[in-house]
Amino acid sequence: MRRFELDDGVSSKFWEVGQAGCELHIRFGRIGTAGQSKPKTFADEATAAAALGKLVREKTAKGYVEAGAGAG
């Protein structure tokens, strides 16, 4: 799972995403909590990969920064 964090002085949030075949596993919430999980299923792996890329671009545009050992 890739982990992204946002700490802008007002809020301290995380967002995690990982792909398993045609499914994206997303977890999000405030840093320090377990957060919420939300799976998303797509027609095929290529569509899921494209959606993952789009979601990552959206989060980084909002100021989230990739963190943790899985960065890269």
Side-chain angles (χ1 to χ4, degrees):
M1 293 271 280
R2 295 174 67 184
R3 182 179 176 98
F4 296 82
E5 296 181 352
L6 174 67
D7 190 358
D8 60 4
V10 176
S11 57
S12 182
K13 302 183 278 188
F14 73 90
W15 180 78
E16 295 178 346
V17 64
Q19 182 177 351
C22 300
E23 195 167 86
L24 294 183
H25 298 277
I26 300 168
R27 194 166 67 99
F28 58 93
R30 293 190 183 278
I31 293 176
T33 67
Q36 301 176 40
S37 294
K38 183 178 179 182
K40 288 188 176 186
T41 304
F42 296 89
D44 54 49
E45 289 184 34
T47 305
L52 186 146
K54 180 181 176 190
L55 289 170
V56 167
R57 285 189 301 276
E58 289 174 357
K59 290 297 180 182
T60 54
K62 290 180 181 179
Y64 282 78
V65 177
E66 191 161 6

